[in-house]
Amino acid sequence: MGQLTTHVLDTLRGQPAAGMQVRLYRLDEGHTTFLKTLRLNADGRADAPLLAQEEFRAGRYRLVFAVAAYFKACGVDLPDPPFLDEVPLDFGVADAAGHYHVPLLATPWTYSTYRGS
């Protein structure tokens, strides 16, 4: 069965982004459905798959990472408003039987992502 997972690396400090808040949405034609909010664990990962088995299906999704709030909580001096606040990543799931891993590498000024394994 397929699943959706994520993790975040704080590349400013060279460590997992423990405690970062992440929200997950499903994007249907003209409609956005909120699915869940979670906090990343000490390894910068969710404790369980975000979606798995029958709740994981093909379609479009959005992960929203609370980057500025995380860095502020870590004591990083950010401008007001911060350059990056929340980082939304929209992605598609073509095969719900697959493992879709969506990592984020982030600093207060840049981010990158890729389909991981």
Side-chain angles (χ1 to χ4, degrees), residues 43-115:
D43 195 32
R45 298 175 183 272
D47 288 327
L50 283 71
L51 296 172
Q53 300 177 8
E54 60 277 343
E55 68 179 353
F56 186 52
R57 59 184 204 238
R60 299 205 46 78
Y61 293 88
R62 174 178 294 149
L63 285 168
V64 180
F65 299 89
V67 171
Y70 163 79
F71 282 108
K72 284 179 187 175
C74 292
V76 176
D77 187 25
L78 299 178
D80 186 21
F83 180 70
L84 292 178
D85 188 1
E86 293 190 326
V87 173
L89 294 179
D90 291 2
F91 59 96
V93 171
D95 177 11
H99 180 185
Y100 283 74
H101 184 65
V102 183
L104 183 75
L105 309 173
T107 77
W109 307 280
T110 187
Y111 67 90
S112 64
T113 191
Y114 56 94
R115 181 174 174 192

Side-chain angles (χ1 to χ4, degrees), residues 26-50:
R26 181 167 171 83
L27 307 175
D28 294 310
E29 291 185 35
H31 186 68
T32 301
T33 303
F34 169 77
L35 299 177
K36 64 177 65 177
T37 298
L38 60 126
R39 289 227 177 250
L40 301 178
N41 64 24
D43 195 32
R45 298 175 183 272
D47 288 327
L50 283 71

